[in-house]
Amino acid sequence: MGKSSKDKRDAYYRLAKEEGWRARSAYKLLQLDEEFNLFDGVTRVVDLCAAPGSWSQVLSRVLIKGEKFGRAGWEEKQKEARRYVLGLDKEEKEVAGEEAKATEEEEQDKHLKPREGVRIVAIDLQPMSPLEGVTTLRADITHPSTIPILLKALDPDSFDPKATSASHPVDLVISDGAPDVTGLHDLDIYVQSQLLWAALNLALCVLKPGGKFVAKIFRGKDVDLLFAQLKIVFERVRVAKPRSSRASSIEAFVVCEGFCPPKGFRASLDTPLGTETQLSTAQKPRLKKETAATRRVREDGAIELDLGPEEEVEDDGEEGGSRWIAPFLACGDLSAYDSDATYHLPKDRVSLDPVQPPTAPPYKRALEMRKLAGGAYGKTKGQERKDIT
Ligand SMILES: C[S@@+](CC[C@H](N)C(=O)[O-])C[C@H]1O[C@@H](n2cnc3c(N)ncnc32)[C@H](O)[C@@H]1O
């Protein structure tokens, strides 16, 4: 598929190049922020699985440069729309004419509000081109040795090599981790869930009380175990699907707010939280219930299902007969592009190159080998000769 046809079939791919983002993923974070106001009061952030770096770019531009995107950008647009409807814009422009245009730019600069004490650390297996104000680390988030590396990057001056948690914890941990998809559904979901547990364990080591955790999930069949565990350490857990994430993909994002670790809880990568190790809900094992199944919608939108007398009570203290379903939200302005739609492009339109081609993608060596073999487009010399004859 050529650049131009991809532009047509993927509006976010095209938009990312036009607006200077390294990847279309930027819009996922921006649309999540529109819905959840993720960056409100945030100055210290960890971006896991960050390459090529569009999420870090968003962080850098919002926190360091003080630009208005996501929720802040959306609010600005609403204000402009109100002014337009009330006719204020027209009136002002008529009065001030061209002068208004010149001062508009100055005004915009005035609105840049860089935050103080910003620290952004980005980690990925792949190398990442530098970004203003972002510390980039090349490391594996599933490996315990990554924890001290991250802690040191967060607090280079006060780093204690024996510490297992951050001396100055962070406000937000985001993770867009995804494995190289094999196409084998169950395997992909499993590997992705391992990345998610790794991200959560890192987050538990560095988050401050009240902090937020946002991570990509693949909605597989064991996802409710994850929600149940997240619910123990966060006040609010929701699942969101930004408009820029294709409807056909099982990808979604957990948005967890209000980090509230249980009393005495100490994050540890020796016994990391995961499918094997789970936090206790501190609830007593329930007796077999005599009542019928019930369904309760909580104030925060979560649904609690009690499956009633048929369910066996498990002897490990887990809630055998009850399930907790995280509220699911679609996010992104309704006027935003639909990621599954194909758009018409003007005839004379020039297709742009990506803002930041991958520095060392995993497929680079395969391409080099193919080139050496004589064919850059999937055919070796031998095959080409065969095709001709
Ligand atoms: C979808 S991309 C992330 C895109 C990024 N959020 C952005 O906006 O540019 C997924 C990334 O996960 C990274 N990744 C996969 N497994 C990892 C691991 N074990 N440790 C660190 N990064 C990993 C990949 O290298 C890849 O760059």
Side-chain angles (χ1 to χ4, degrees):
M1 185 165 59
K3 261 191 299 175
S4 200
S5 56
K6 203 165 172 200
D7 281 352
K8 204 168 151 183
R9 285 167 50 175
D10 187 342
Y12 287 100
Y13 166 80
R14 170 171 55 84
L15 214 57
K17 294 186 294 176
E18 286 172 4
E19 295 185 347
W21 302 111
R22 290 182 177 185
R24 67 189 294 293
S25 327
Y27 297 100
K28 297 179 192 170
L29 185 60
L30 292 172
Q31 289 170 351
L32 287 169
D33 176 45
E34 262 176 40
E35 183 67 39
F36 299 100
N37 207 3
L38 293 177
F39 307 135
D40 187 29
V42 163
T43 51
R44 290 170 64 82
V45 191
V46 174
D47 181 7
L48 301 171
C49 301
S54 75
W55 280 25
S56 289
Q57 259 186 307
V58 170
L59 295 172
S60 168
R61 291 177 70 171
V62 172
L63 307 184
I64 297 176
K65 293 194 185 137
E67 290 181 59
K68 290 190 173 174
F69 289 112
R71 169 68 72 102
W74 179 81
E75 281 169 358
E76 199 84 333
K77 264 194 225 158
Q78 297 298 308
K79 256 191 237 161
E80 265 171 38
R82 254 197 312 274
R83 283 163 64 86
Y84 179 78
V85 170
L86 294 173
L88 294 177
D89 234 18
K90 199 171 157 229
E91 217 172 84
E92 264 172 31
K93 272 184 188 149
E94 272 168 12
V95 176
E98 282 304 302
E99 273 175 34
K101 261 191 190 167
T103 48
E104 219 169 80
E105 276 175 19
E106 285 166 23
E107 274 299 304
Q108 258 182 0
D109 278 352
K110 264 192 229 156
H111 287 138
L112 292 181
K113 290 204 181 98
R115 301 184 191 186
E116 279 173 23
V118 172
R119 182 131 212 108
I120 304 167
V121 177
I123 304 183
D124 201 286
L125 276 179
Q126 306 296 329
M128 219 173 108
S129 301
L131 270 171
E132 188 185 328
V134 179
T135 307
T136 52
L137 303 173
R138 194 171 175 187
D140 181 348
I141 67 157
T142 63
H143 203 283
S145 63
T146 301
I147 258 283
I149 301 174
L150 170 61
L151 297 180
K152 191 171 181 191
L154 280 171
D155 296 298
D157 301 330
S158 57
F159 171 65
D160 169 6
K162 284 190 214 115
T164 53
S165 56
S167 51
H168 298 92
V170 306
D171 307 295
L172 172 67
V173 175
I174 53 181
S175 172
D176 192 21
D180 284 335
V181 175
T182 63
L184 299 170
H185 235 51
D186 286 348
L187 181 63
D188 292 337
I189 289 177
Y190 174 77
V191 179
Q192 212 285 335
S193 72
Q194 295 308 302
L195 279 182
L196 178 71
W197 285 113
L200 176 61
N201 280 296
L202 284 181
L204 295 177
C205 296
V206 298
L207 265 185
K208 66 157 70 152
K212 302 172 197 172
F213 173 63
V214 176
K216 167 145 64 199
I217 58 166
F218 283 174
R219 281 170 299 148
K221 62 178 169 11
D222 290 328
V223 83
D224 48 345
L225 168 64
L226 170 76
F227 296 154
Q229 294 282 288
L230 289 170
K231 197 185 93 186
I232 300 169
V233 279
F234 291 96
E235 276 162 16
R236 276 176 310 285
V237 178
R238 287 172 283 183
V239 183
K241 179 91 174 165
R243 262 175 91 75
S244 49
S245 170
R246 291 184 189 93
S248 50
S249 136
I250 52 171
E251 166 190 276
F253 293 85
V254 276
V255 179
C256 312
E257 293 165 290
F259 179 51
C260 53
K263 233 181 172 181
F265 170 79
R266 254 191 78 246
S268 151
L269 285 196
D270 298 328
T271 48
L273 199 60
T275 39
E276 307 274 301
T277 321
Q278 292 163 26
L279 282 174
S280 158
T281 53
Q283 280 181 4
K284 288 192 185 130
R286 298 168 328 132
L287 293 173
K288 206 165 181 175
K289 281 202 166 180
E290 299 302 324
T291 50
T294 56
R295 180 181 187 277
R296 188 170 80 89
V297 181
R298 295 188 337 187
E299 250 176 45
D300 62 3
I303 297 171
E304 279 178 356
L305 283 179
D306 200 327
L307 299 176
E310 256 89 85
E311 289 293 314
E312 290 297 318
V313 176
E314 292 176 6
D315 51 14
D316 58 0
E318 287 300 309
E319 295 169 277
S322 48
R323 294 282 179 275
W324 185 87
I325 302 172
F328 187 91
L329 283 112
C331 58
D333 198 315
L334 278 181
S335 62
Y337 285 107
D338 173 353
S339 49
D340 288 290
T342 296
Y343 291 90
H344 287 291
L345 299 171
K347 264 199 184 128
D348 49 358
R349 193 182 158 278
V350 180
S351 183
L352 301 171
D353 282 328
V355 172
Q356 177 65 60
T359 342
Y363 52 82
K364 191 174 169 195
R365 186 157 158 66
L367 286 179
E368 280 166 4
M369 286 169 65
R370 192 191 286 170
K371 232 178 191 167
L372 274 179
Y377 300 101
K379 287 177 185 170
T380 59
K381 266 182 187 158
Q383 278 172 329
E384 271 169 358
R385 248 178 261 133
K386 254 189 234 159
D387 292 345
I388 294 165
T389 53

